[in-house]
Amino acid sequence: MAEKPSDRLPEAGDRIAKLLARAGIASRRVVERMIADGRVAVEGKVLDTPAVKLTDLRGVTVDGKPVAKPEPARLFRFHKPAGLLTAERDPKGRPTIYTALRNALPNGTPRLMPVGRLDWSTEGLLLLTNDGELKRAMELPSSGVPRSYRARAFGEITQARLDELIEGVTIDGVNYGKIEADLERGGKGRNNWIEMTLTEGKNREVRRVLEHLGLEVNRLIRTSYGPFPLADLPRGQAQEVRSGEVERFRKTLDRR
């Protein structure tokens, strides 16, 4: 029987997809697709499965190029303006966050991946990291990392109705977990500002939940993600989080 490329590779260590994500090559899911496409090799042997375990990335190549030693995890806060896609490129030619980041990040910044997404019209805090495993851990609903938003919504709403969201809600067969929602005082007319905190971060979750309550969202701002706030970071600007803060937060993720 012919020997497979994955035969005789070490069984100890971590899955290669995890190591490559940690090295900032791509997210774990994307790395698994790269392996399926035959783009990843170990000591010249093209892998046929993402189940391979390694203790380090020595001898690993992606598209024929050696993988560099992983850099320490870095995390950046970016104040995303409305009108940008959270994507590397757009077939329609619309501007992306990377268009703005070219001017917002210092020279020599490693490749960064967004932690979660903000849609085209949503603004506010977007975190970016070079560490695929940190990205994945922060995005997983099971990690319970809170995301907070301010939404301006048109329509009639009461605090009592918002309080019902603490039990979660099901919309069109999709279950949304616990949401803390508070109606800000001092609203004018039928435009209300609502503060919301959630931990799942499902696609368009805030908009869909508020629309389910009969509201029309006309502005949405993410104000924090985990312990990292938007604060007074200017729109379109980026700022690196101190390495000590990143490591302390990472340890809290490891304990979850």
mmCIF file of all heavy atoms in Angstrom, residues 15-37:
data_model
loop_
_atom_site.group_PDB
_atom_site.id
_atom_site.type_symbol
_atom_site.label_atom_id
_atom_site.label_comp_id
_atom_site.label_asym_id
_atom_site.label_seq_id
_atom_site.Cartn_x
_atom_site.Cartn_y
_atom_site.Cartn_z
ATOM 1 N N ARG A 15 -2.660 20.297 16.721
ATOM 2 C CA ARG A 15 -3.029 20.153 15.315
ATOM 3 C C ARG A 15 -2.379 21.252 14.488
ATOM 4 O O ARG A 15 -2.262 22.402 14.925
ATOM 5 C CB ARG A 15 -4.544 20.211 15.147
ATOM 6 C CG ARG A 15 -5.250 18.900 15.491
ATOM 7 C CD ARG A 15 -6.745 19.028 15.290
ATOM 8 N NE ARG A 15 -7.389 17.740 15.431
ATOM 9 C CZ ARG A 15 -8.098 17.156 14.472
ATOM 10 N NH1 ARG A 15 -8.250 17.752 13.305
ATOM 11 N NH2 ARG A 15 -8.678 15.977 14.672
ATOM 12 N N ILE A 16 -1.983 20.905 13.292
ATOM 13 C CA ILE A 16 -1.252 21.860 12.454
ATOM 14 C C ILE A 16 -2.099 23.083 12.130
ATOM 15 O O ILE A 16 -1.578 24.195 12.016
ATOM 16 C CB ILE A 16 -0.738 21.179 11.168
ATOM 17 C CG1 ILE A 16 0.220 22.127 10.432
ATOM 18 C CG2 ILE A 16 -1.899 20.705 10.289
ATOM 19 C CD1 ILE A 16 0.980 21.464 9.303
ATOM 20 N N ALA A 17 -3.411 22.896 11.985
ATOM 21 C CA ALA A 17 -4.260 24.045 11.694
ATOM 22 C C ALA A 17 -4.212 25.058 12.831
ATOM 23 O O ALA A 17 -4.211 26.274 12.600
ATOM 24 C CB ALA A 17 -5.703 23.591 11.429
ATOM 25 N N LYS A 18 -4.155 24.563 14.064
ATOM 26 C CA LYS A 18 -4.061 25.453 15.219
ATOM 27 C C LYS A 18 -2.729 26.199 15.216
ATOM 28 O O LYS A 18 -2.679 27.411 15.458
ATOM 29 C CB LYS A 18 -4.215 24.652 16.506
ATOM 30 C CG LYS A 18 -4.084 25.481 17.779
ATOM 31 C CD LYS A 18 -4.297 24.628 19.007
ATOM 32 C CE LYS A 18 -4.183 25.475 20.279
ATOM 33 N NZ LYS A 18 -4.419 24.675 21.506
ATOM 34 N N LEU A 19 -1.636 25.488 14.922
ATOM 35 C CA LEU A 19 -0.317 26.123 14.906
ATOM 36 C C LEU A 19 -0.225 27.180 13.803
ATOM 37 O O LEU A 19 0.346 28.253 14.009
ATOM 38 C CB LEU A 19 0.768 25.063 14.712
ATOM 39 C CG LEU A 19 0.976 24.079 15.867
ATOM 40 C CD1 LEU A 19 2.002 23.021 15.482
ATOM 41 C CD2 LEU A 19 1.399 24.800 17.135
ATOM 42 N N LEU A 20 -0.764 26.875 12.639
ATOM 43 C CA LEU A 20 -0.707 27.838 11.538
ATOM 44 C C LEU A 20 -1.597 29.047 11.814
ATOM 45 O O LEU A 20 -1.263 30.176 11.443
ATOM 46 C CB LEU A 20 -1.099 27.168 10.224
ATOM 47 C CG LEU A 20 -0.060 26.186 9.668
ATOM 48 C CD1 LEU A 20 -0.612 25.457 8.442
ATOM 49 C CD2 LEU A 20 1.234 26.909 9.301
ATOM 50 N N ALA A 21 -2.721 28.812 12.474
ATOM 51 C CA ALA A 21 -3.569 29.940 12.862
ATOM 52 C C ALA A 21 -2.845 30.802 13.889
ATOM 53 O O ALA A 21 -2.875 32.033 13.811
ATOM 54 C CB ALA A 21 -4.896 29.438 13.419
ATOM 55 N N ARG A 22 -2.191 30.151 14.831
ATOM 56 C CA ARG A 22 -1.423 30.885 15.850
ATOM 57 C C ARG A 22 -0.319 31.705 15.205
ATOM 58 O O ARG A 22 0.011 32.801 15.659
ATOM 59 C CB ARG A 22 -0.824 29.866 16.841
ATOM 60 C CG ARG A 22 0.107 30.454 17.886
ATOM 61 C CD ARG A 22 -0.637 31.298 18.895
ATOM 62 N NE ARG A 22 0.254 31.850 19.893
ATOM 63 C CZ ARG A 22 0.969 32.952 19.733
ATOM 64 N NH1 ARG A 22 0.898 33.627 18.608
ATOM 65 N NH2 ARG A 22 1.739 33.406 20.711
ATOM 66 N N ALA A 23 0.228 31.209 14.104
ATOM 67 C CA ALA A 23 1.294 31.927 13.401
ATOM 68 C C ALA A 23 0.760 33.036 12.510
ATOM 69 O O ALA A 23 1.539 33.752 11.884
ATOM 70 C CB ALA A 23 2.107 30.944 12.562
ATOM 71 N N GLY A 24 -0.562 33.172 12.450
ATOM 72 C CA GLY A 24 -1.153 34.264 11.671
ATOM 73 C C GLY A 24 -1.296 33.966 10.197
ATOM 74 O O GLY A 24 -1.534 34.886 9.404
ATOM 75 N N ILE A 25 -1.181 32.687 9.792
ATOM 76 C CA ILE A 25 -1.349 32.353 8.375
ATOM 77 C C ILE A 25 -2.778 32.614 7.928
ATOM 78 O O ILE A 25 -3.033 33.216 6.884
ATOM 79 C CB ILE A 25 -0.965 30.875 8.115
ATOM 80 C CG1 ILE A 25 0.512 30.644 8.448
ATOM 81 C CG2 ILE A 25 -1.256 30.483 6.671
ATOM 82 C CD1 ILE A 25 1.473 31.480 7.620
ATOM 83 N N ALA A 26 -3.729 32.153 8.706
ATOM 84 C CA ALA A 26 -5.155 32.351 8.433
ATOM 85 C C ALA A 26 -5.916 31.767 9.612
ATOM 86 O O ALA A 26 -5.320 31.186 10.528
ATOM 87 C CB ALA A 26 -5.568 31.654 7.134
ATOM 88 N N SER A 27 -7.242 31.909 9.604
ATOM 89 C CA SER A 27 -8.036 31.283 10.652
ATOM 90 C C SER A 27 -7.933 29.771 10.529
ATOM 91 O O SER A 27 -7.561 29.238 9.480
ATOM 92 C CB SER A 27 -9.496 31.708 10.544
ATOM 93 O OG SER A 27 -10.086 31.145 9.395
ATOM 94 N N ARG A 28 -8.270 29.056 11.601
ATOM 95 C CA ARG A 28 -8.169 27.605 11.576
ATOM 96 C C ARG A 28 -9.023 27.011 10.456
ATOM 97 O O ARG A 28 -8.594 26.086 9.767
ATOM 98 C CB ARG A 28 -8.596 27.028 12.927
ATOM 99 C CG ARG A 28 -8.217 25.564 13.097
ATOM 100 C CD ARG A 28 -8.712 24.983 14.405
ATOM 101 N NE ARG A 28 -8.133 25.632 15.571
ATOM 102 C CZ ARG A 28 -8.260 25.154 16.805
ATOM 103 N NH1 ARG A 28 -8.940 24.030 17.021
ATOM 104 N NH2 ARG A 28 -7.716 25.786 17.828
ATOM 105 N N ARG A 29 -10.205 27.523 10.260
ATOM 106 C CA ARG A 29 -11.085 27.003 9.211
ATOM 107 C C ARG A 29 -10.476 27.191 7.828
ATOM 108 O O ARG A 29 -10.512 26.301 6.982
ATOM 109 C CB ARG A 29 -12.450 27.693 9.290
ATOM 110 C CG ARG A 29 -13.468 27.155 8.303
ATOM 111 C CD ARG A 29 -14.814 27.820 8.484
ATOM 112 N NE ARG A 29 -15.330 27.611 9.820
ATOM 113 C CZ ARG A 29 -16.462 28.153 10.273
ATOM 114 N NH1 ARG A 29 -17.165 28.957 9.489
ATOM 115 N NH2 ARG A 29 -16.889 27.898 11.489
ATOM 116 N N VAL A 30 -9.902 28.383 7.603
ATOM 117 C CA VAL A 30 -9.282 28.645 6.295
ATOM 118 C C VAL A 30 -8.064 27.751 6.097
ATOM 119 O O VAL A 30 -7.824 27.234 4.997
ATOM 120 C CB VAL A 30 -8.903 30.130 6.164
ATOM 121 C CG1 VAL A 30 -8.081 30.372 4.900
ATOM 122 C CG2 VAL A 30 -10.157 30.998 6.143
ATOM 123 N N VAL A 31 -7.279 27.547 7.156
ATOM 124 C CA VAL A 31 -6.117 26.662 7.055
ATOM 125 C C VAL A 31 -6.556 25.257 6.668
ATOM 126 O O VAL A 31 -5.907 24.589 5.843
ATOM 127 C CB VAL A 31 -5.324 26.637 8.380
ATOM 128 C CG1 VAL A 31 -4.296 25.513 8.367
ATOM 129 C CG2 VAL A 31 -4.629 27.976 8.607
ATOM 130 N N GLU A 32 -7.635 24.776 7.240
ATOM 131 C CA GLU A 32 -8.124 23.440 6.892
ATOM 132 C C GLU A 32 -8.481 23.352 5.414
ATOM 133 O O GLU A 32 -8.238 22.330 4.763
ATOM 134 C CB GLU A 32 -9.321 23.087 7.772
ATOM 135 C CG GLU A 32 -8.920 22.825 9.223
ATOM 136 C CD GLU A 32 -10.104 22.594 10.136
ATOM 137 O OE1 GLU A 32 -11.254 22.800 9.668
ATOM 138 O OE2 GLU A 32 -9.895 22.209 11.302
ATOM 139 N N ARG A 33 -9.040 24.428 4.860
ATOM 140 C CA ARG A 33 -9.331 24.447 3.418
ATOM 141 C C ARG A 33 -8.039 24.452 2.613
ATOM 142 O O ARG A 33 -7.947 23.818 1.557
ATOM 143 C CB ARG A 33 -10.191 25.665 3.058
ATOM 144 C CG ARG A 33 -11.623 25.580 3.568
ATOM 145 C CD ARG A 33 -12.547 26.472 2.776
ATOM 146 N NE ARG A 33 -12.189 27.879 2.872
ATOM 147 C CZ ARG A 33 -12.719 28.711 3.758
ATOM 148 N NH1 ARG A 33 -13.623 28.285 4.627
ATOM 149 N NH2 ARG A 33 -12.355 29.982 3.793
ATOM 150 N N MET A 34 -7.040 25.168 3.090
ATOM 151 C CA MET A 34 -5.751 25.205 2.411
ATOM 152 C C MET A 34 -5.124 23.817 2.376
ATOM 153 O O MET A 34 -4.533 23.410 1.371
ATOM 154 C CB MET A 34 -4.817 26.205 3.103
ATOM 155 C CG MET A 34 -5.295 27.652 3.022
ATOM 156 S SD MET A 34 -4.374 28.770 4.130
ATOM 157 C CE MET A 34 -2.798 28.840 3.294
ATOM 158 N N ILE A 35 -5.260 23.075 3.473
ATOM 159 C CA ILE A 35 -4.740 21.702 3.510
ATOM 160 C C ILE A 35 -5.485 20.834 2.511
ATOM 161 O O ILE A 35 -4.889 20.046 1.774
ATOM 162 C CB ILE A 35 -4.848 21.139 4.940
ATOM 163 C CG1 ILE A 35 -3.860 21.882 5.862
ATOM 164 C CG2 ILE A 35 -4.568 19.635 4.945
ATOM 165 C CD1 ILE A 35 -4.023 21.551 7.326
ATOM 166 N N ALA A 36 -6.808 20.974 2.469
ATOM 167 C CA ALA A 36 -7.609 20.194 1.518
ATOM 168 C C ALA A 36 -7.216 20.503 0.078
ATOM 169 O O ALA A 36 -7.305 19.635 -0.799
ATOM 170 C CB ALA A 36 -9.093 20.477 1.733
ATOM 171 N N ASP A 37 -6.750 21.724 -0.158
ATOM 172 C CA ASP A 37 -6.334 22.127 -1.511
ATOM 173 C C ASP A 37 -4.884 21.750 -1.812
ATOM 174 O O ASP A 37 -4.356 22.099 -2.875
ATOM 175 C CB ASP A 37 -6.517 23.642 -1.691
ATOM 176 C CG ASP A 37 -7.980 24.056 -1.696
ATOM 177 O OD1 ASP A 37 -8.838 23.189 -1.971
ATOM 178 O OD2 ASP A 37 -8.266 25.237 -1.423
#
